[in-house]
Amino acid sequence: QRRLTEEALEKRIAEEKSKIDVALAEAKAQEETRLAEEQKRQVEVQLEQRLAEEKSKLDAEIAAVEEKIRRELELLESGKSVKEEVVKKEVVKEEVVAEMEQEDDISTPATAPPLEEELALPDEALDLSKDLPKLSSTTSDVLTADVEALELVSMCQAEFDATYSTDVSSSDESCLLPTDYPFVSLLRDSSPYIVNHRHSTIVYHIPGDLISDVEKFNSVMDDIALTWLFGMKIVLCVGCRTQVSQRLERLEGRPSNLKSKSGVRVTTDTALRVLEEEAGFCRFEVERQLNRCLRSKGANCNVVSGCFITAKKYGVVDGVDYQHTGYPKTLQTDRINRFISRSDVVLLTPLGFTEDGQALNIKSEQLAGFTAGALKASKVVYFSTKPLVMRGSNNSRDANANQRIQMIQRSNALQILSYHGLKIHGKTGFPQWNSPTAAAKNPKVQSMLLKMGWATDALDKGVERAHIIACDDGALLEELFTARRGYGTCISQDDYEAPHPEDQNDDLLADDVGAGVIGW
């Protein structure tokens, strides 16, 4: 009986073991099937990603080819129209000559004017044509002369020498060598600045009134695009004060009176809503124009904007509640540096956000100086549609009497601000006026002093130079790439080493600043 029991147990154990083996085999097969399906899905995902990347590359190449074809078609159309115009003029000229010859054959009046006089232009048209620039063709000239009649002559020879003399005077005034063109000397003089500014970070402040002036705005964006092509890392701080003031004036039916004596706007709920809308419009306009300028130069660039700024409210200052107006507290410098190192352009609007997500109005000039200081930028540039320049007043006793003062040191700028009663708070950047002078009460002078104050604050944070320039065509290029030909005021560190020997600070004495002999 015991033996039978053991045999039954052994048989049961064998059956259970076989069941377990079958279950393990099934589980193993299921696991292998699952792993195979998972690998298959991963391979499919990778293939889809690669296909999407290849598709995007092909789309970009197709877009580039289409753009190239479009440009070539435009060039062909323009060349065709010019050629047709030339052919028409030649046909008209031949018809006129034929008619004149026929008239001469029939009868030639004694008082008939020659053909040159009939076709001559008025004196006024000739005077105007002298001032027009001469266009040089980039295509090869069509050789219509007899090859055997051609001769190689000296480049300095004014015209063909009929005597085939080889004695050519090198002192001929009509000689024009390539080095005589002004472009060559200008490019050579600008080369130290091009090398010095390459791979450096620059912060541009674009005011709202510049965006409203279409002609100046286009020229400024063209110059900014050219600095990007020179290898500079660009951050744009865009203002929209003019647009907000105009919108509030239309809504309220009267001029907006939200600006305090300090020069900082009090931002109400209505003003904040208008600011959010106008900031989006100004950002779009800057992106559009920058994209146009870069594409016209054969380059592409991404403009990146986002929530890079953490702001904080001013609160109540000197009895004035500034409501939704604040100052920049922190800046995400790592993200911005990552973008500009990839040749992207970062765009900031005068809107900051508190830690709990509340939107605040930040003065764009202050934001530009704060951003330049946080990024340790090489330069911060303020554009001004109504610029002022410093000059020595007539009562000055030194060499600066009635002379323009273009370049000053940071210490001189602090002395000028102190003389006019302006001090920028080191932490909040709030402008504090203490017994301002009569000149500082002028709105234009006050705006200039505020820019100087925030520019000096940027220099305190490590920026090398600050520029306050006009919005004229080419002003930015002359300010950055020439010596002593700038369009505005430059403030530099006291120990700044200029890349050009002539690019040194003006001799500005502290006694002259204290005596008030610096005018505008």
Side-chain angles (χ1 to χ4, degrees):
Q1 188 177 5
R2 184 177 62 185
R3 188 169 55 251
L4 291 174
T5 304
E6 289 177 352
E7 290 177 354
L9 288 174
E10 290 177 355
K11 184 177 180 181
R12 188 174 178 182
I13 289 172
E15 291 176 354
E16 293 294 333
K17 184 177 179 181
S18 63
K19 290 180 180 180
I20 292 173
D21 291 339
V22 171
L24 288 174
E26 292 178 353
K28 185 177 180 181
Q30 292 177 358
E31 184 66 20
E32 290 177 353
T33 304
R34 189 186 63 81
L35 290 175
E37 292 178 353
E38 184 68 25
Q39 291 178 355
K40 183 179 179 181
R41 283 196 300 270
Q42 291 179 357
V43 171
E44 290 177 352
V45 171
Q46 291 178 357
L47 288 176
E48 290 178 356
Q49 291 178 352
R50 290 186 63 183
L51 287 174
E53 292 177 357
E54 293 296 331
K55 183 180 178 182
S56 62
K57 291 181 180 179
L58 288 174
D59 292 339
E61 291 178 358
I62 291 172
V65 171
E66 290 178 350
E67 181 67 19
K68 185 177 180 180
I69 293 173
R70 185 185 63 80
R71 291 180 180 176
E72 290 179 355
L73 289 175
E74 290 179 354
L75 291 174
L76 289 175
E77 291 294 334
S78 60
K80 183 178 179 182
S81 61
V82 172
K83 186 176 180 180
E84 291 177 352
E85 188 69 22
V86 172
V87 172
K88 289 180 181 178
K89 290 182 178 179
E90 292 293 335
V91 171
V92 172
K93 183 177 179 181
E94 291 177 358
E95 291 178 353
V96 172
V97 172
E99 291 178 358
M100 294 299 298
E101 289 178 353
Q102 292 177 0
E103 292 179 358
D104 291 339
D105 294 339
I106 296 172
S107 61
T108 305
T111 58
L115 179 62
E116 291 77 3
E117 294 183 5
E118 289 189 358
L119 298 179
L121 294 174
D123 295 338
E124 295 80 359
L126 290 175
D127 294 337
L128 292 175
S129 62
K130 293 179 182 179
D131 299 331
L132 294 177
K134 296 182 179 179
L135 301 178
S136 59
S137 175
T138 57
T139 59
S140 301
D141 295 331
V142 179
L143 188 61
T144 59
D146 187 4
V147 179
E148 297 180 357
L150 297 178
E151 181 186 6
L152 297 176
V153 297
S154 173
M155 188 173 181
C156 294
Q157 192 167 355
E159 57 186 9
F160 181 76
D161 189 357
T163 61
Y164 301 96
S165 174
T166 58
D167 184 15
V168 180
S169 176
S170 60
S171 61
D172 190 355
E173 294 181 357
S174 62
C175 177
L176 187 62
L177 297 176
T179 53
D180 292 331
Y181 287 99
F183 169 77
V184 177
S185 60
L186 289 175
L187 186 59
R188 287 172 177 170
D189 290 340
S190 301
S191 58
Y193 297 98
I194 296 175
V195 174
N196 186 64
H197 297 335
R198 186 184 302 148
H199 305 308
S200 64
T201 302
I202 184 168
V203 178
Y204 292 112
H205 172 257
I206 301 177
D209 49 356
L210 173 60
I211 299 176
S212 301
D213 192 332
V214 178
E215 183 178 356
K216 290 184 177 181
F217 181 49
N218 292 344
S219 64
V220 167
M221 296 309 297
D222 271 324
D223 294 347
I224 291 177
L226 191 56
T227 60
W228 181 86
L229 291 173
F230 283 150
M232 302 180 72
K233 303 175 182 178
I234 296 176
V235 179
L236 302 176
C237 294
V238 181
C240 54
R241 186 181 306 111
T242 301
Q243 288 77 7
V244 172
S245 299
Q246 292 174 353
R247 280 280 302 278
L248 291 176
E249 184 176 350
R250 288 196 297 267
L251 289 173
E252 299 174 358
R254 56 183 177 82
S256 177
N257 190 20
L258 299 177
K259 193 173 181 180
S260 65
K261 294 181 179 179
S262 62
V264 179
R265 181 190 295 273
V266 177
T267 307
T268 60
D269 294 338
T270 304
L272 181 63
R273 177 60 183 273
V274 172
L275 172 64
E276 292 173 350
E277 297 175 0
E278 295 299 330
F281 166 76
C282 293
R283 181 185 68 181
F284 173 79
E285 285 297 306
V286 172
E287 291 180 358
R288 180 178 66 84
Q289 287 294 341
L290 185 61
N291 180 69
R292 176 193 64 81
C293 298
L294 289 172
R295 284 184 178 274
S296 66
K297 296 173 176 59
N300 288 320
C301 174
N302 294 324
V303 180
V304 182
S305 59
C307 304
F308 298 104
I309 310 162
T310 302
K312 190 174 182 180
K313 282 186 175 182
Y314 277 130
V316 180
V317 181
D318 296 333
V320 179
D321 185 5
Y322 286 89
Q323 301 183 33
H324 299 289
T325 304
Y327 61 94
K329 185 179 179 182
T330 58
L331 185 71
Q332 298 181 11
T333 55
D334 293 338
R335 291 181 60 194
I336 294 178
N337 284 322
R338 186 162 61 250
F339 284 123
I340 61 179
S341 63
R342 298 188 314 211
S343 299
D344 294 336
V345 174
V346 175
L347 189 150
L348 304 177
T349 60
L351 279 172
F353 301 93
T354 61
E355 296 178 353
D356 57 356
Q358 183 180 358
L360 294 179
N361 176 21
I362 303 175
K363 198 168 181 65
S364 56
E365 292 89 345
Q366 179 185 358
L367 177 61
F370 175 82
T371 302
L375 295 174
K376 298 296 186 289
S378 173
K379 293 179 181 293
V380 56
V381 177
Y382 291 96
F383 290 101
S384 178
T385 56
K386 300 177 181 178
L388 298 177
V389 293
M390 291 184 293
R391 62 173 175 81
S393 298
N394 293 327
N395 57 347
S396 177
R397 292 169 295 178
D398 60 2
N400 290 323
N402 206 23
Q403 296 294 324
R404 177 183 173 186
I405 301 172
Q406 182 178 346
M407 305 172 62
I408 61 174
Q409 295 180 350
R410 168 185 162 275
S411 57
N412 297 137
L414 290 175
Q415 293 169 0
I416 294 173
L417 296 175
S418 177
Y419 170 76
H420 289 284
L422 176 60
K423 181 180 179 182
I424 301 297
H425 193 276
K427 181 179 179 181
T428 63
F430 191 84
Q432 298 172 334
W433 295 92
N434 184 18
S435 301
T437 60
K441 295 179 181 179
N442 185 309
K444 292 184 180 180
V445 176
Q446 185 187 76
S447 176
M448 179 68 179
L449 291 173
L450 288 172
K451 289 185 178 69
M452 289 182 62
W454 284 310
T456 307
D457 185 64
L459 266 62
D460 292 339
K461 294 180 173 63
V463 180
E464 294 180 358
R465 271 188 165 185
H467 303 262
I468 305 171
I469 64 175
C471 302
D472 298 335
D473 186 18
L476 175 63
L477 301 180
E478 292 201 17
E479 181 73 18
L480 296 184
F481 299 103
T482 61
R484 292 292 175 181
R485 298 190 186 95
Y487 262 66
T489 301
C490 174
I491 308 173
S492 63
Q493 296 283 0
D494 293 351
D495 56 350
Y496 177 77
E497 295 183 3
H500 196 281
E502 298 180 4
D503 195 10
Q504 300 296 334
N505 291 321
D506 292 306
D507 296 329
L508 192 60
L509 303 178
D511 295 339
D512 289 339
V513 177
V517 298
I518 305 302
W520 304 93

mmCIF file of all heavy atoms in Angstrom, residues 54 145 186 229 238 242 251 269 308 311 330 347 385:
data_model
loop_
_atom_site.group_PDB
_atom_site.id
_atom_site.type_symbol
_atom_site.label_atom_id
_atom_site.label_comp_id
_atom_site.label_asym_id
_atom_site.label_seq_id
_atom_site.Cartn_x
_atom_site.Cartn_y
_atom_site.Cartn_z
ATOM 1 N N GLU A 54 14.424 63.159 -42.740
ATOM 2 C CA GLU A 54 14.779 63.222 -44.159
ATOM 3 C C GLU A 54 13.773 64.068 -44.929
ATOM 4 O O GLU A 54 14.138 64.840 -45.830
ATOM 5 C CB GLU A 54 14.826 61.810 -44.742
ATOM 6 C CG GLU A 54 15.959 60.944 -44.191
ATOM 7 C CD GLU A 54 17.316 61.510 -44.550
ATOM 8 O OE1 GLU A 54 17.426 62.169 -45.596
ATOM 9 O OE2 GLU A 54 18.269 61.283 -43.792
ATOM 10 N N ALA A 145 34.225 94.509 -81.042
ATOM 11 C CA ALA A 145 35.289 95.066 -81.876
ATOM 12 C C ALA A 145 36.059 93.941 -82.569
ATOM 13 O O ALA A 145 35.983 92.770 -82.203
ATOM 14 C CB ALA A 145 36.238 95.912 -81.022
ATOM 15 N N LEU A 186 38.317 101.928 -46.735
ATOM 16 C CA LEU A 186 37.324 101.805 -45.673
ATOM 17 C C LEU A 186 37.301 100.393 -45.105
ATOM 18 O O LEU A 186 37.210 100.201 -43.886
ATOM 19 C CB LEU A 186 35.942 102.179 -46.213
ATOM 20 C CG LEU A 186 35.710 103.663 -46.531
ATOM 21 C CD1 LEU A 186 34.338 103.851 -47.161
ATOM 22 C CD2 LEU A 186 35.826 104.503 -45.271
ATOM 23 N N LEU A 229 25.763 88.846 -39.853
ATOM 24 C CA LEU A 229 26.587 88.193 -40.862
ATOM 25 C C LEU A 229 28.071 88.310 -40.522
ATOM 26 O O LEU A 229 28.868 87.455 -40.924
ATOM 27 C CB LEU A 229 26.316 88.802 -42.237
ATOM 28 C CG LEU A 229 24.936 88.520 -42.836
ATOM 29 C CD1 LEU A 229 24.746 89.318 -44.114
ATOM 30 C CD2 LEU A 229 24.757 87.039 -43.114
ATOM 31 N N VAL A 238 12.944 94.893 -27.501
ATOM 32 C CA VAL A 238 12.016 95.700 -28.291
ATOM 33 C C VAL A 238 11.069 96.445 -27.363
ATOM 34 O O VAL A 238 10.487 95.854 -26.444
ATOM 35 C CB VAL A 238 11.207 94.803 -29.264
ATOM 36 C CG1 VAL A 238 10.271 95.640 -30.104
ATOM 37 C CG2 VAL A 238 12.149 93.996 -30.133
ATOM 38 N N THR A 242 5.496 103.940 -27.704
ATOM 39 C CA THR A 242 4.729 104.802 -28.609
ATOM 40 C C THR A 242 3.405 104.166 -28.990
ATOM 41 O O THR A 242 2.356 104.828 -28.981
ATOM 42 C CB THR A 242 5.563 105.091 -29.866
ATOM 43 O OG1 THR A 242 6.787 105.733 -29.487
ATOM 44 C CG2 THR A 242 4.807 105.988 -30.818
ATOM 45 N N LEU A 251 -8.344 105.126 -26.856
ATOM 46 C CA LEU A 251 -9.353 104.533 -25.977
ATOM 47 C C LEU A 251 -9.950 105.560 -25.022
ATOM 48 O O LEU A 251 -11.168 105.585 -24.785
ATOM 49 C CB LEU A 251 -8.739 103.378 -25.177
ATOM 50 C CG LEU A 251 -8.410 102.100 -25.955
ATOM 51 C CD1 LEU A 251 -7.662 101.113 -25.072
ATOM 52 C CD2 LEU A 251 -9.684 101.462 -26.489
ATOM 53 N N ASP A 269 -4.500 98.331 -15.209
ATOM 54 C CA ASP A 269 -5.003 97.099 -15.806
ATOM 55 C C ASP A 269 -5.233 97.280 -17.308
ATOM 56 O O ASP A 269 -4.888 96.410 -18.123
ATOM 57 C CB ASP A 269 -6.309 96.676 -15.126
ATOM 58 C CG ASP A 269 -6.102 96.295 -13.667
ATOM 59 O OD1 ASP A 269 -4.947 95.956 -13.323
ATOM 60 O OD2 ASP A 269 -7.062 96.348 -12.885
ATOM 61 N N PHE A 308 12.025 84.489 -20.698
ATOM 62 C CA PHE A 308 13.383 84.427 -20.166
ATOM 63 C C PHE A 308 13.559 85.286 -18.909
ATOM 64 O O PHE A 308 14.607 85.216 -18.277
ATOM 65 C CB PHE A 308 14.390 84.887 -21.221
ATOM 66 C CG PHE A 308 14.413 84.045 -22.461
ATOM 67 C CD1 PHE A 308 13.813 84.492 -23.626
ATOM 68 C CD2 PHE A 308 15.007 82.805 -22.465
ATOM 69 C CE1 PHE A 308 13.822 83.724 -24.774
ATOM 70 C CE2 PHE A 308 15.026 82.024 -23.600
ATOM 71 C CZ PHE A 308 14.432 82.482 -24.766
ATOM 72 N N ALA A 311 10.418 88.902 -13.134
ATOM 73 C CA ALA A 311 10.304 90.308 -12.733
ATOM 74 C C ALA A 311 9.720 90.412 -11.325
ATOM 75 O O ALA A 311 9.196 89.443 -10.762
ATOM 76 C CB ALA A 311 9.447 91.070 -13.735
ATOM 77 N N THR A 330 15.714 88.333 -12.478
ATOM 78 C CA THR A 330 16.650 87.313 -12.950
ATOM 79 C C THR A 330 16.445 87.101 -14.441
ATOM 80 O O THR A 330 15.385 87.400 -14.996
ATOM 81 C CB THR A 330 16.445 85.967 -12.223
ATOM 82 O OG1 THR A 330 15.106 85.514 -12.423
ATOM 83 C CG2 THR A 330 16.738 86.103 -10.744
ATOM 84 N N LEU A 347 14.963 87.479 -28.918
ATOM 85 C CA LEU A 347 14.159 88.696 -28.890
ATOM 86 C C LEU A 347 13.404 88.781 -27.569
ATOM 87 O O LEU A 347 12.725 87.821 -27.170
ATOM 88 C CB LEU A 347 13.184 88.707 -30.072
ATOM 89 C CG LEU A 347 12.408 90.002 -30.335
ATOM 90 C CD1 LEU A 347 12.118 90.134 -31.816
ATOM 91 C CD2 LEU A 347 11.091 90.025 -29.574
ATOM 92 N N THR A 385 15.328 107.883 -31.957
ATOM 93 C CA THR A 385 14.811 108.636 -33.100
ATOM 94 C C THR A 385 15.012 110.136 -32.938
ATOM 95 O O THR A 385 14.965 110.878 -33.918
ATOM 96 C CB THR A 385 13.316 108.338 -33.286
ATOM 97 O OG1 THR A 385 12.623 108.634 -32.058
ATOM 98 C CG2 THR A 385 13.094 106.875 -33.634
#
